[in-house]
Amino acid sequence: MAKPKVATTSLAGCFGCHMSILDIDDRILKLIELVDFDKSPVNDIKKFTGRCLVGLIEGGCCNEENVRVLQDFRAHCDILISVGDCAIMGGIPAMRNTIPLKECLDEAYLNGPTVYNPTKTIPNDEEIPLLLNRVYPAHEVVTIDYFLPGCPPPADTIWEALTALLSGKPLTLPYQLIKYD
Amino acid sequence: MNDRFAFTIDGVEVQGRPGQTIMQAADEAGIYIPRLCSHKELAPHGSCRVCTVLVNGRPQTACTQPAGPGIIVENSSEALLAIRCNLIEMLFIEGNHFCMFCEKSGNCELQALAYRFGIMAPKYPYLFPTRELDASHPDIFIDRNRCILCGRCVRASRDLDGKNVFQFVGRGPRKRIAVNAKTALADTDAARADKAVSACPVGAILRKRVGYGIPIGQRMYDAAPIGSDIEAARAHPHK
């Protein structure tokens, strides 16, 4: 039987949650025995090669590309897991949600105290994904099956969750592993 | 004492005294009823509704409802847990609760209740309201992004500090905590040692220059859920 496949992505996140995945230490060797990695920054596979059992989502959606990637994950993965506070509630990027987008861009590219921008242009190339009006948690864009809170979630949380799902057991985390920070 | 009377919480017999609320009698018996706006040193407020229990089948806030002989209290049914989870989740989506950089994280009662209830993510969409911050005072600040309108600071400042620094203004979604001064917190007689500051269950009123004082792992709710201290006092544990 072919090993189940796991895909991961970092949307509007800082890659800290991916660091936490790597932080399972030598258990990563066990994980490789249990699963194959499909699309993921870990192996740099850019496109889905087929159906995946689990998709791990780091980060919320701050631009249109994030939305497309997230929808792609939903289409290819049986189980989608929001990993970390950014996927769950927007996290640090969502601090801009109480400020109009134009004000954010003006501050970043025109008015900020360290800005050098003689042409007074705000980047608007079609190669650059369009920013959304605000940062959206993953579950406000697609259906998410499980949530692993934390900033980042501890490696043990990710390990417990993955091994439970792979062995078909219900996902119940001990009190000490549910943390929002 | 002779004036003691008996009633039950989840089928367990509990002793109450005249004048006690259900919550006070439960605390003495080592039964934890979740709460947020209630504070041991403050008069009950009954506003957060987290301590809602069924008294003879009717919903009542345990922090305000007097205990009485023979009453039947239901505290830990699935239905009540669902109500409490919803309340906590609504408080999370209604404000801007960025736990990842909040100095109160690990010692926050709102967060601790979410942990105790095993809430992994709120089921409601986040509102991301615009809320004001007041850092004018040299020693304390108000971050209304985190305020849950429990009114503990209002009661503590009025009844314990004797200062009346805080009060609610506005109604509905515009309700917020205001200070008793023309412009800002700096113009009040609020002080660093005020009970109003330590009474805040979340990170809305904090002392400056404290930062992340306690290492992760040693904070109040890192190892054991909120209410464990009350439950530990229970002499005869029941399932």
Side-chain angles (χ1 to χ4, degrees):
Chain A
M1 205 174 85
K3 286 189 270 187
K5 288 198 281 190
V6 173
T8 77
T9 187
S10 180
L11 306 175
C14 70
F15 267 92
C17 295
H18 273 77
M19 293 298 116
S20 206
I21 295 172
L22 298 180
D23 203 28
I24 60 175
D25 297 330
D26 58 335
R27 286 172 291 186
I28 203 153
L29 299 173
K30 248 188 238 169
L31 186 62
I32 292 303
E33 283 173 22
L34 292 172
V35 299
D36 281 328
F37 273 85
D38 202 89
K39 178 181 162 70
S40 169
V42 174
N43 52 18
D44 211 23
I45 294 179
K46 310 280 192 202
K47 285 191 172 139
F48 277 104
T49 61
R51 190 89 201 142
C52 291
L53 178 69
V54 178
L56 301 178
I57 308 296
E58 170 187 341
C61 291
C62 75
N63 62 34
E64 55 169 355
E65 192 218 5
N66 294 156
V67 174
R68 273 201 296 270
V69 172
L70 182 55
Q71 287 170 338
D72 200 25
F73 265 73
R74 182 68 275 181
H76 283 89
C77 302
D78 295 340
I79 299 166
L80 268 197
I81 308 178
S82 273
V83 180
D85 291 340
C86 292
I88 289 173
M89 57 79 68
I92 300 293
M95 287 182 76
R96 79 164 163 96
N97 285 5
T98 57
I99 302 162
L101 180 58
K102 184 171 184 312
E103 270 179 51
C104 293
L105 290 170
D106 286 354
E107 182 67 15
Y109 293 104
L110 303 177
N111 306 328
T114 58
V115 170
Y116 175 74
N117 185 2
T119 60
K120 299 281 179 206
T121 46
I122 290 173
N124 193 26
D125 193 281
E126 60 182 31
E127 290 286 311
I128 303 172
L130 268 180
L131 289 175
L132 303 178
N133 63 332
R134 65 173 179 86
V135 180
Y136 291 84
H139 65 277
E140 292 184 21
V141 177
V142 299
T143 302
I144 297 288
D145 303 297
Y146 293 100
F147 300 88
L148 300 178
C151 187
D156 288 337
T157 305
I158 296 169
W159 175 253
E160 290 290 331
L162 274 181
T163 48
L165 289 172
L166 290 169
S167 57
K169 285 182 200 141
L171 175 49
T172 48
L173 290 172
Y175 174 83
Q176 287 79 4
L177 288 186
I178 303 175
K179 291 281 173 282
Y180 298 169
D181 60 6
Chain B
M1 272 190 293
N2 300 332
D3 56 351
R4 283 189 164 257
F5 55 80
F7 67 101
T8 66
I9 300 177
D10 293 329
V12 178
E13 190 172 295
V14 171
Q15 295 293 314
R17 291 193 308 273
Q20 265 188 329
T21 62
I22 292 173
M23 184 181 283
Q24 286 166 336
D27 281 359
E28 275 183 19
I31 295 171
Y32 176 66
I33 300 173
R35 81 248 358 220
L36 206 41
C37 72
S38 161
H39 187 283
K40 275 215 157 70
E41 293 178 60
L42 300 171
H45 200 233
S47 61
C48 76
R49 318 310 281 185
V50 171
C51 72
T52 299
V53 292
L54 293 185
V55 181
N56 296 337
R58 292 163 63 104
Q60 303 279 5
T61 44
C63 70
T64 56
Q65 183 70 15
I71 57 168
I72 297 164
V73 179
E74 198 180 309
N75 173 45
S76 50
S77 67
E78 288 290 316
L80 284 171
L81 177 66
I83 288 170
R84 289 169 186 160
C85 281
N86 282 339
L87 289 170
I88 298 299
E89 288 175 26
M90 283 190 274
L91 287 172
F92 267 99
I93 59 108
E94 191 179 63
N96 297 309
H97 297 278
F98 292 92
C99 295
M100 66 290 289
F101 62 80
C102 179
E103 293 164 42
K104 192 80 173 195
S105 190
N107 300 308
C108 167
E109 292 179 34
L110 175 69
Q111 187 192 56
L113 282 171
Y115 290 170
R116 184 180 169 109
F117 298 153
I119 296 171
M120 305 300 267
K123 58 178 102 41
Y124 308 106
Y126 286 92
L127 298 181
F128 293 113
T130 306
R131 302 259 188 94
E132 278 172 17
L133 195 136
D134 184 342
S136 62
H137 194 284
D139 293 323
I140 50 181
F141 66 89
I142 310 175
D143 186 347
R144 295 188 181 84
N145 289 293
R146 303 164 181 165
C147 181
I148 55 170
L149 304 174
C150 66
R152 281 201 202 172
C153 58
V154 177
R155 285 173 280 156
S157 187
R158 184 189 60 210
D159 302 336
L160 301 179
D161 300 328
K163 289 186 177 178
N164 249 328
V165 170
F166 303 100
Q167 191 49 270
F168 291 122
V169 295
R171 290 181 73 81
R174 278 174 294 278
K175 186 173 181 178
R176 64 190 173 86
I177 204 80
V179 294
N180 189 7
K182 259 219 166 86
T183 49
L185 188 60
D187 306 321
T188 68
D189 47 3
R192 193 174 178 84
D194 281 0
K195 294 263 190 180
V197 179
S198 51
C200 181
V202 292
I205 304 177
L206 285 177
R207 293 189 178 93
K208 291 184 177 178
R209 296 179 298 284
V210 172
Y212 309 94
I214 308 167
I216 290 176
Q218 295 170 29
R219 300 169 304 180
M220 209 176 311
Y221 307 116
D222 277 340
I226 188 168
S228 298
D229 50 339
I230 290 171
E231 288 166 334
R234 195 165 172 178
H236 306 287
H238 294 264
K239 276 282 169 194

